[in-house]
Amino acid sequence: MDLAYIPSPSTGVLHLGPVPLRAYAFCIIIGVFVAVWIGNKRWIARGGKAGTVADIAVWAVPFGLVGGRLYHVITDYQLYFSEGEDWVDAFKIWEGGLGIWGAIALGAVGAWIGARRRGIPLPAYADAIAPGIALAQAIGRWGNWFNQELYGKETTLPWGLEISAGANREEGIYHPTFLYESLWCIGVALLVIWADRRFRMGHGRAFALYVAAYCAGRGWIEYMRVDEAHHILGLRLNVWTAIVVFVLAVAYIVISSRLRPGREEIVEPDKDKPAGDGKGAVEPKDESSAPAGDDEGEAEGEPGTARREAVTGEPDDAPANGTESAAKG
């Protein structure tokens, strides 16, 4: 008899009276909070302001959820629009089904809107939030464990995952691909943090590294899965997506490094600070009508002081007030 060291939960829903509390949703929410918390710390470390990451996340998260769901429904449309299926289920996001590709793509649009409103560069924001996104994915994958979904092929390994019989699944012991991806995402987060400190990555390259590293792992993990999916030339659609996105991310790192080396010096402008650090903001004065010593140079103790000494005969430390100088003269 096979022994599964990772038993699946009997249910992914806890009812608090008439209110259902779904573990899948909780995993996503916890992941979002972790991403924002880590992103905020990294943003501040790069010279940004506290709260900026959360403000932009208000735009990015809803867009990401919609994008993730759209990708899943479009690529697995047969689950909702085939004969005998209920198309209303396409809106039941709490039952699982978010495509990371769509979540990142449309989430980036939301982040762009939020960043534009704050007047900050989107690549710098993406670099700060990249490790947090990877950790959010690591946490979110445990929602699949509660829903008993996205497992791999059958296995006799001691860390096999026990799956009970249910809709669209057969009882058995399978590879815990949710766990593989969760651990991989943790590794990706650590890689990005290390590389960012070691090479001072900027202009979106830390984010591109996260994308490339995630795709490298997603490719082989996706290949192990047995859930229904579309195939192209013998490979699952998501495997092809991982390959294409990986190539694009690596190309971005190479090209960006040549065109814009280094890291951004300023990631968030200080809107409360006068233009030009306050210098040059003084309106020019009409020297023909201004009293002796009452000019801009006097503030720095050079031109105005020399003129006053020449006119009044007082030393440099004499009062600069025109009335007192006239009285002493």
Side-chain angles (χ1 to χ4, degrees), residues 14-29:
L14 175 65
H15 290 274
L16 187 62
V19 180
L21 304 178
R22 302 183 180 275
Y24 184 85
F26 270 108
C27 289
I28 293 177
I29 293 172

Side-chain angles (χ1 to χ4, degrees), residues 9-327:
S10 58
T11 180
V13 183
L14 175 65
H15 290 274
L16 187 62
V19 180
L21 304 178
R22 302 183 180 275
Y24 184 85
F26 270 108
C27 289
I28 293 177
I29 293 172
I30 294 172
V32 169
F33 273 103
V34 169
V36 171
W37 178 69
I38 293 177
N40 183 64
K41 293 178 70 68
R42 286 173 52 81
W43 184 251
I44 294 174
R46 293 191 61 177
K49 298 180 181 179
T52 296
V53 170
D55 290 344
I56 298 178
V58 170
W59 290 89
V61 172
F63 273 74
L65 290 175
V66 172
R69 188 60 175 179
L70 281 175
Y71 181 90
H72 168 72
V73 171
I74 291 173
T75 56
D76 291 309
Y77 61 88
Q78 72 280 356
L79 300 177
Y80 307 100
F81 303 104
S82 299
E83 184 178 354
E85 302 293 344
D86 187 358
W87 63 271
V88 177
D89 292 341
F91 297 94
K92 298 179 180 179
I93 191 173
W94 54 86
E95 293 183 354
L98 290 174
I100 185 61
W101 319 109
I104 294 296
L106 207 54
V109 174
W112 176 80
I113 295 175
R116 186 176 178 84
R117 289 168 60 89
R118 295 285 299 224
I120 66 175
L122 178 60
Y125 176 82
D127 285 341
I129 201 71
I133 294 178
L135 290 177
Q137 289 177 249
I139 297 172
R141 275 307 178 201
W142 285 86
N144 301 130
W145 176 57
F146 281 98
N147 285 352
Q148 296 196 49
E149 59 186 1
L150 306 187
Y151 45 84
K153 302 173 183 178
E154 288 191 284
T155 181
T156 58
L157 293 173
W159 56 82
L161 174 66
E162 183 181 18
I163 297 295
S164 60
N168 301 319
R169 67 173 187 256
E170 296 182 1
E171 182 179 0
I173 308 261
Y174 301 89
H175 276 285
T177 50
F178 86 91
L179 178 60
Y180 298 162
E181 186 168 337
S182 180
L183 295 175
W184 184 269
C185 287
I186 293 175
V188 170
L190 296 176
L191 171 66
V192 173
I193 292 174
W194 170 82
D196 194 26
R197 291 179 178 176
R198 175 66 176 80
F199 302 106
R200 291 184 57 80
M201 307 179 78
H203 302 287
R205 289 187 287 275
F207 182 82
L209 175 61
Y210 143 72
V211 173
Y214 172 74
C215 289
R218 179 61 183 267
W220 66 266
I221 294 173
E222 184 74 24
Y223 186 76
M224 297 179 63
R225 284 167 47 174
V226 295
D227 53 300
E228 186 177 357
H230 296 287
H231 288 71
I232 301 176
L233 299 178
L235 292 179
R236 293 166 65 97
L237 175 60
N238 281 334
V239 174
W240 284 110
T241 303
I243 293 173
V244 172
V245 176
F246 173 83
V247 172
L248 293 176
V250 172
Y252 178 86
I253 293 175
V254 174
I255 297 174
S256 175
S257 298
R258 294 178 178 178
L259 297 179
R260 306 186 70 182
R263 176 187 284 182
E264 301 91 339
E265 294 296 330
I266 300 177
V267 297
E268 185 169 7
D270 190 349
K271 296 182 179 180
D272 298 329
K273 195 173 185 179
D277 297 333
K279 295 181 180 180
V282 180
E283 296 184 0
K285 297 184 179 180
D286 186 357
E287 294 187 2
S288 61
S289 60
D294 188 18
D295 59 4
E296 279 186 5
E298 183 178 353
E300 297 184 7
E302 292 183 6
T305 302
R307 183 187 304 174
R308 184 172 66 253
E309 183 176 358
V311 174
T312 65
E314 294 290 335
D316 291 350
D317 57 350
N321 185 283
T323 304
E324 291 186 22
S325 297

